Amino acid sequence: MEDKNLIPKIKYYYMPEDKHVLYVDLDNEFMLEAKKLIKGGACAKQPAGAVIVKDGKIIGRGTNAGKLMNECARWGSATGQNYHLCKEVCHQEGHAEDMAVRDAIKNKFNCEGADIYMYGHWYCCKPCWDIMNEHKIANVYLLYNSWNLFNPEINTEMKDWGKPKAEIKN
């Protein structure tokens, strides 16, 4: 049986010096809610859902959905690069973390001290960390083992998600 206290040293593309990531299992009620959000998502490469939780209640929900696409505009880009194409091509308003914060604010909630639960990603990019820090999100929770499940450099099943049809060899 795997010891969940032994989380490997993960090299994130970006991590604020004063922050860290916490992990929960899929049976966590808030992680399950974040997972449900990706069913309606439109991201062809890496669908993600996020919920913001304060005082045990969900105050914001978000996905990285935009225009439904079968191919990823960022195809071939390194992880963490060329996110502007998500906005320009897919009309994505923001990443799941950003959209969850926006949803909480729209519904007149203050995010200070709240936690965010993310499903579908193994790390948070710098712009999302900046937004979460600006709104004083306390903790970031990812799915335990997300570093293997949602990292296309490790999970070979994900390597072709969103790949342009012209590049798929039969």
Side-chain angles (χ1 to χ4, degrees):
M1 178 174 227
E2 183 177 14
D3 183 351
K4 293 188 177 176
N5 294 318
L6 299 176
I7 294 173
K9 179 85 171 132
I10 301 165
K11 184 184 182 304
Y12 297 103
Y13 291 96
Y14 176 79
M15 177 68 69
E17 284 185 30
D18 62 336
K19 294 293 184 176
H20 59 277
V21 172
L22 301 169
Y23 294 93
V24 296
D25 287 317
L26 189 55
D27 62 359
N28 176 283
E29 67 178 301
F30 302 120
M31 188 58 69
L32 283 169
E33 286 299 315
K35 182 182 180 184
K36 286 179 189 176
L37 292 172
I38 68 167
K39 289 183 180 12
C43 183
K45 185 172 181 153
Q46 189 123 21
V51 295
I52 297 177
V53 178
K54 189 168 183 177
D55 299 325
K57 295 186 173 111
I58 296 175
I59 63 168
R61 290 176 165 81
T63 70
N64 60 342
K67 177 179 163 188
L68 182 59
M69 304 291 285
N70 294 320
E71 299 177 0
C72 179
R74 291 182 48 240
W75 183 257
S77 298
T79 298
Q81 302 296 310
N82 295 319
Y83 286 131
H84 67 279
L85 295 173
C86 300
K87 187 173 290 233
E88 294 167 9
V89 177
C90 303
H91 307 285
Q92 184 186 90
E93 291 182 46
H95 290 171
E97 303 96 317
D98 177 25
M99 299 309 292
V101 168
R102 289 186 201 191
D103 185 53
I105 292 167
K106 179 184 82 176
N107 292 312
K108 309 228 184 299
F109 288 105
N110 180 338
C111 294
E112 185 171 354
D115 298 326
I116 190 165
Y117 291 77
M118 279 283 301
Y119 183 88
H121 280 325
W122 65 279
Y123 83 103
C124 301
C125 68
K126 182 180 184 318
C128 287
W129 273 113
D130 291 345
I131 289 163
M132 291 185 295
N133 286 335
E134 176 185 342
H135 293 278
K136 297 178 173 48
I137 298 289
N139 296 299
V140 174
Y141 290 92
L142 298 178
L143 180 66
Y144 178 78
N145 204 25
S146 61
W147 57 87
N148 287 322
L149 296 171
F150 304 123
N151 183 347
E153 294 171 13
I154 294 174
N155 183 346
T156 56
E157 289 181 17
M158 293 181 70
K159 288 202 183 282
D160 288 339
W161 288 8
K163 188 174 190 174
K165 304 286 185 262
E167 291 190 32
I168 296 176
K169 294 181 172 53
N170 294 328

